Amino acid sequence: MKLLSPSATATSSLPSSAFLPSHSNGFQNLGFSSATFKFSKNKGRCIRKAGSTNITAKFELKPPPYPLDALEPIMSRDTFEYHWGKHHRAYVDNLNKQIDETDLDGKSLEETIVIAYNNGDILPAFNNAAQVWNHDFFWESMKPGGGGKPSGELLKLIERDFGSFEKFVEQFKLAAATQFGSGWAWLAYKESRLDVGNAVNPLATEEDKKLVVLKSPNAVNPLVWNHHHPLLTIDVWEHANYL
């Protein structure tokens, strides 16, 4: 499959979901406290607190941002329709079932992902929640007639951090090709160093703030990594390349 590189626009035209608040201070940066939730390790799910309001699960399958045949011949209509209409839809439906009448019911998708990731001790809702977000972001990472160099500040950052646009493309393709099993490849903006327990964590320097190419297994995405803001992704699950 031909690499669909970032559209020829500055970062200001990227999806707004690419620039989410960092999670370096845990749940507080998202506007709620970890004390709000209690988890049942026996059942592996969030439990609704006594007296809390029952909110109906609300997530819906978003329509693609372009017609199903708009990416041909790079992605066929049949592949797109099957990927979005079956797999993406299943993630949404299963997520709504998993969060119904739990503490996650009524939270935003981003909040659900961070809470259910549970610092790596993943709760059942995480995979479906993350896959819903990943696919929403994946469709926004492509456009009809896309490809080629971006422009403006994004191109300047790519050339600064990778040496050239061509070298970025090589690294991005390599990350996707070498992800063992199912997963994703990402272009992300790393705002600062990761916080590490039992270590001195100095304030971010300008050298820490840069674009990076990453890969993640299964449903994991940069929202669960401190200070990483996703800008572009490619799906390397097998179902992304059916037909």
Side-chain angles (χ1 to χ4, degrees), residues 209-226:
K209 299 177 180 180
K210 61 182 180 180
L211 296 176
V212 291
V213 168
L214 306 161
K215 54 186 177 180
S216 62
N218 301 315
V220 174
N221 66 42
L223 301 188
V224 302
W225 301 327
N226 294 336

Side-chain angles (χ1 to χ4, degrees), residues 163-183:
S164 68
F165 177 72
E166 291 72 23
K167 289 182 179 179
F168 153 69
V169 171
E170 289 178 7
Q171 288 192 37
F172 195 61
K173 286 183 176 180
L174 182 63
T178 57
Q179 168 54 39
F180 182 76
S182 301

Side-chain angles (χ1 to χ4, degrees), residues 35-55:
T36 304
F37 301 92
K38 64 177 182 178
F39 301 102
S40 169
K41 292 186 177 179
N42 293 331
K43 294 184 178 180
R45 64 190 291 267
C46 283
I47 299 176
R48 182 170 297 283
K49 296 193 304 180
S52 60
T53 303
N54 185 12
I55 303 174

Side-chain angles (χ1 to χ4, degrees), residues 4 19 28-29 31 53 68 99 118 121 126 140 142 156 180 191 207-208 234:
L4 294 179
F19 301 97
Q28 285 73 20
N29 279 356
T53 303
L68 294 177
I99 67 173
N118 197 27
D121 186 12
F126 172 76
E140 294 286 354
M142 299 180 288
K156 291 179 182 178
F180 182 76
E191 187 177 8
E207 288 74 21
D208 294 316
I234 184 168

